Amino acid sequence: MDIDKIKVKLHDLFCEEASIVLYESDKDNIASADIIDTLNIGRIVFFEYKDMSAELRDEPFIVNVRYEGENYNEDDYVMNRSVVPSGNVVRVCIFPVEGYSWNDEERQLVGEFLLIISTLKSRIRMKEFIEYATFHERELGFYNSFYLGKTLSMVQKLDRLSEYSIIFFNLVNISGINSMIGRAEADIMMRRFGAMLTEGLEQPECLCRMGGDNFVMVARHEHVDTLLKILNGTDMNGDASFWETIRMSAYCGVYHCSGHEKSFSECIDYAQASMLIAKNTNHANVQFYDESMVRIVTNTKKIESRFKDAIIKKEFVAYYQPKVNLENNMLIGAEALCRWNRGKKLITPDQFIPVLEKSNRICSLDFYMLETVCKDLASWMDKGKTPVRVSTNFSRKHLGNPNFVSDVINIVDEYRIPRSLIVIELTETTTESDLIRLTECVQEFRKAGFDVSVDDFGVGYSSMSMIKDVPFSEIKIDRSFISSDSISDRDMIMMKHIITLADDLGMTTIAEGVETKEQIELLRKYGCYRAQGYIFDKPLTKEDFEKVLDNPDYSSRG
Ligand code: C2E
Ligand code: MG
Ligand code: MG
């Protein structure tokens, strides 16, 4: 080949098609063989450096001889240098054959050839880098959630999901390990632990890091036991002078894919929900997916994640259940009870209060409810209606808030509601320290002009001693005392004593859950003259309760 032909060839190489040829046959340089011959090229070498400082020290981590003739002229070469996206530096050097030196024209052509090779090399590195960065997390270099998604969607497309299990695991006490041996060592250990787990696995089996100390493994069913053994606890040996052994273990949730899942992400969700059960209930470190348990966790997650938005969108509404004086059948008050209005569905508190009670979310809800009650009371007064005292429920969680009482006062005062119209309903406490704080709060509330009622009285263990010490204004006798069809003698004796004791201590009593005339008779007999229950009304919407305010006499209703 003569120089002119090489010019044409180089031109071709610049064209996309030619570059693809070179790109794919880079290893054997098929496309460039003619050029190598004609230009008397003796050697082509790639040097790759981790970064510029490695380049300055001349410490390449890869030296890749791409072409080597029989001999070459070491003293004459053309070099191109580029920095690829990962930060690596790539140098490409082309040497002439031994005893040969290029003339100017040849040197220029060698330069052009070099430029093409370097460009293509960078392009390969760029592609590799993009692929790596897309499918790996940056900190430790594990596969990431994109990779997991790609893998599982491929397995699902091949209709082979049913051959695999998903293990979602959360490393135990990784922050403790971090502080024990230092972050850098802990990172090394996590990588080693990862390597142990993936040893012997074959694609598409994989280990992916979802973030922090959460990982997901895709594994064939028959590998699950072995993996769980490692995950259940493995001693990792360290550099003896620094740390000797550290035990790595994880909380695991395992889901055997059935292949009938709508989407592979369902499998991950189930495994994750199972892991949360393993983590949050102290039975075992491993939980295999079980539909009923997982439904609870999923529901909890749903409620927690929707809560904030629901408060903003005012989805929680107050229902009012009337309280009636049994001596004259007149309305004497109401209890505000929360409902979650989710468009078509009205959710009752038993479905969300216990979940919110697990965090301080319940406190936000209680204050929101207090505000709603204040607004409603204000609107009734504005309309010229005679308001009644409304009780609102407050979780025991508030006792941990040092400003609990003043927070309540601020809301009530802001809406200019007379404090005597608000009754604070609190349930019994269980611990000694809670009792001290409860006493303090009740005293402060009473001093500020609020009435305080003890809800569900009689179901706790400390009932009797508690009302001796805490200055409640009212005792709400739990509905379990009167709700059974035939009330037991024991219940009746208890109820009689509660009513007498409350009387002696200057507290009023009210019975909740009253459903029958017989129950009313019984309450009258023992001297409890206040009641709340379905016999009068279920919890009513604000509008329906307004009608009761307009017509507060229950005798006229039959
Ligand atoms: P609670 O405070 O003891 O409220 C009384 C519950 O008994 C209400 O249930 C009410 O609808 C129900 N009930 C009333 N009369 C009868 C009856 O004659 N028969 C029967 N079987 N049940 C009756 P609800 O509204 O489902 O509330 C359940 C619990 O949820 C409440 O018990 C209270 O502990 C909690 N709760 C409701 N709203 C709130 C709130 O805003 N904050 C907090 N912290 N808890 C709330
Ligand atoms: Mg209540
Ligand atoms: Mg109650």
Side-chain angles (χ1 to χ4, degrees):
M1 191 189 275
D2 59 23
I3 294 285
D4 284 340
K5 279 197 184 136
I6 285 183
K7 282 182 187 164
V8 175
K9 183 124 193 175
L10 281 176
H11 177 263
D12 285 349
L13 276 181
F14 268 119
C15 301
E16 204 181 354
E17 221 176 69
S19 63
I20 288 169
V21 172
L22 180 65
Y23 167 58
E24 281 174 353
S25 59
D26 194 20
K27 282 198 176 75
D28 43 28
N29 285 315
I30 291 169
S32 26
D34 291 342
I35 298 174
I36 288 169
D37 279 350
T38 317
L39 289 178
N40 288 315
I41 290 173
R43 193 180 198 230
I44 304 174
V45 201
F46 290 84
F47 298 94
E48 284 189 58
Y49 303 87
K50 279 261 176 263
D51 50 31
M52 287 190 215
S53 74
E55 185 190 16
L56 279 175
R57 294 193 306 274
D58 196 23
E59 286 171 4
F61 72 105
I62 297 177
V63 178
N64 196 343
V65 180
R66 271 311 161 90
Y67 171 77
E68 191 152 52
E70 277 172 20
N71 39 42
Y72 65 97
N73 178 357
E74 257 178 85
D75 304 323
D76 189 11
Y77 61 87
V78 182
M79 199 258 288
N80 181 283
R81 172 184 179 277
S82 55
V83 182
V84 295
S86 59
N88 291 359
V89 180
V90 178
R91 281 187 189 185
V92 186
C93 297
I94 301 186
F95 299 81
V97 293
E98 193 167 37
Y100 191 81
S101 260
W102 297 304
N103 63 29
D104 286 350
E105 192 182 19
E106 284 170 337
R107 192 172 291 276
Q108 200 191 335
L109 290 171
V110 171
E112 280 178 30
F113 180 52
L114 180 66
L115 198 66
I116 294 170
I117 298 178
S118 304
T119 311
L120 296 173
K121 185 79 195 169
S122 304
R123 218 180 275 176
I124 293 169
R125 283 285 174 265
M126 167 99 86
K127 187 170 172 263
E128 285 170 357
F129 174 75
I130 290 171
E131 246 179 52
Y132 185 87
T134 309
F135 294 120
H136 292 77
E137 46 92 16
R138 280 179 51 200
E139 253 179 326
L140 299 176
F142 284 107
Y143 284 128
N144 59 15
S145 52
F146 282 114
Y147 184 84
L148 178 68
K150 184 181 96 151
T151 304
L152 285 176
S153 94
M154 188 259 297
V155 174
Q156 193 173 30
K157 268 196 202 118
L158 296 173
D159 202 15
R160 300 183 67 169
L161 213 46
S162 60
E163 295 168 25
Y164 295 89
S165 288
I166 305 293
I167 307 176
F168 197 114
F169 68 88
N170 175 263
L171 293 174
V172 174
N173 188 28
I174 198 67
S175 55
I177 294 175
N178 270 337
S179 50
M180 227 183 319
I181 62 174
R183 227 198 138 93
E185 280 290 317
D187 284 356
I188 293 172
M189 206 176 64
M190 286 224 271
R191 282 199 201 97
R192 267 173 46 204
F193 192 57
M196 279 172 101
L197 286 166
T198 47
E199 198 185 310
L201 296 191
E202 276 176 24
Q203 278 196 341
E205 292 179 303
C206 59
L207 166 66
C208 306
R209 186 175 182 207
M210 307 301 278
D213 48 5
N214 286 320
F215 294 80
V216 170
M217 289 197 81
V218 178
R220 296 193 62 83
H221 299 315
E222 60 269 28
H223 291 157
V224 169
D225 280 351
T226 317
L227 292 169
L228 289 180
K229 260 185 214 132
I230 301 175
L231 287 165
N232 196 34
T234 299
D235 286 331
M236 308 285 290
N237 296 324
D239 163 12
S241 61
F242 189 37
W243 56 278
E244 279 187 5
T245 46
I246 292 272
R247 195 164 179 77
M248 291 283 280
S249 62
Y251 300 106
C252 308
V254 186
Y255 177 71
H256 292 293
C257 304
S258 67
H260 301 305
E261 295 83 3
K262 274 195 218 89
S263 142
F264 63 80
S265 63
E266 238 174 77
C267 308
I268 305 172
D269 288 347
Y270 293 151
Q272 179 174 26
S274 309
M275 181 279 286
L276 287 173
I277 292 171
K279 190 173 175 178
N280 297 327
T281 63
N282 298 317
H283 304 315
N285 273 10
V286 179
Q287 172 69 48
F288 286 86
Y289 172 79
D290 166 330
E291 204 171 323
S292 61
M293 287 170 94
V294 170
R295 207 177 308 127
I296 296 170
V297 177
T298 319
N299 192 37
T300 302
K301 272 207 316 199
K302 233 189 254 170
I303 290 170
E304 286 177 347
S305 66
R306 286 180 185 164
F307 176 71
K308 206 170 150 198
D309 206 36
I311 287 273
I312 295 168
K313 290 186 180 150
K314 298 193 167 35
E315 290 177 0
F316 293 103
V317 289
Y319 271 53
Y320 295 92
Q321 187 174 36
K323 293 178 179 177
V324 175
N325 180 341
L326 298 181
E327 286 175 307
N328 58 12
N329 284 320
M330 293 296 284
L331 174 78
I332 44 163
E335 175 175 11
L337 292 157
C338 185
R339 301 288 180 266
W340 189 345
N341 185 356
R342 283 197 61 82
K344 283 182 203 132
K345 264 202 297 189
L346 195 66
I347 308 176
T348 50
D350 52 308
Q351 295 178 60
F352 58 87
I353 298 272
V355 173
L356 302 177
E357 284 265 1
K358 287 202 182 110
S359 65
N360 280 333
R361 290 184 181 87
I362 187 65
C363 300
S364 324
L365 177 70
D366 290 345
F367 284 129
Y368 171 94
M369 284 291 289
L370 176 65
E371 237 183 298
T372 310
V373 167
C374 289
K375 282 181 199 160
D376 289 350
L377 275 168
S379 87
W380 294 328
M381 290 191 286
D382 283 349
K383 289 181 195 164
K385 298 181 193 298
T386 311
V388 289
R389 289 160 10 117
V390 178
S391 57
T392 58
N393 292 282
F394 283 91
S395 159
R396 272 204 299 255
K397 279 261 168 178
H398 291 279
L399 298 180
N401 168 11
N403 304 320
F404 174 36
V405 178
S406 59
D407 287 348
V408 170
I409 292 175
N410 288 342
I411 293 175
V412 175
D413 288 359
E414 191 192 323
Y415 288 92
R416 296 171 195 276
I417 303 298
R419 294 179 190 175
S420 59
L421 281 182
I422 301 290
V423 182
I424 311 294
E425 267 191 35
L426 292 162
T427 51
E428 296 174 37
T429 55
T430 43
T431 65
E432 194 70 20
S433 60
D434 255 15
L435 186 65
I436 295 169
R437 178 73 186 127
L438 177 73
T439 313
E440 230 171 60
C441 288
V442 175
Q443 276 167 349
E444 282 178 48
F445 274 127
R446 299 295 305 271
K447 221 160 68 197
F450 292 94
D451 275 342
V452 186
S453 177
V454 51
D455 202 357
D456 306 336
F457 186 80
V459 291
Y461 298 104
S462 53
S463 309
M464 291 301 178
S465 63
M466 190 185 64
I467 52 164
K468 242 175 34 296
D469 300 328
V470 191
F472 289 109
S473 6
E474 179 188 74
I475 287 174
K476 246 186 146 175
I477 303 167
D478 190 67
R479 80 164 171 267
S480 59
F481 283 94
I482 53 161
S483 67
S484 53
D485 290 340
S486 57
I487 304 164
S488 76
D489 289 348
R490 227 175 140 262
D491 281 347
M492 270 206 280
I493 295 166
M494 272 281 283
M495 199 165 68
K496 206 169 98 184
H497 281 299
I498 291 170
I499 295 167
T500 324
L501 185 64
D503 246 3
D504 290 349
L505 292 167
M507 303 174 185
T508 56
T509 45
I510 179 164
E512 61 179 346
V514 180
E515 293 177 349
T516 64
K517 286 197 174 127
E518 292 71 34
Q519 290 169 339
I520 290 185
E521 285 316 310
L522 201 78
L523 289 168
R524 283 203 177 111
K525 188 173 143 196
Y526 290 126
C528 172
Y529 295 106
R530 288 152 193 255
Q532 172 185 344
Y534 294 171
I535 187 160
F536 303 110
D537 264 317
K538 289 198 167 176
L540 304 171
T541 60
K542 178 190 172 194
E543 291 71 26
D544 284 343
F545 184 68
E546 281 179 11
K547 289 178 199 149
V548 181
L549 280 177
D550 292 338
N551 178 16
D553 188 351
Y554 274 86
S555 342
S556 59
R557 300 186 188 202

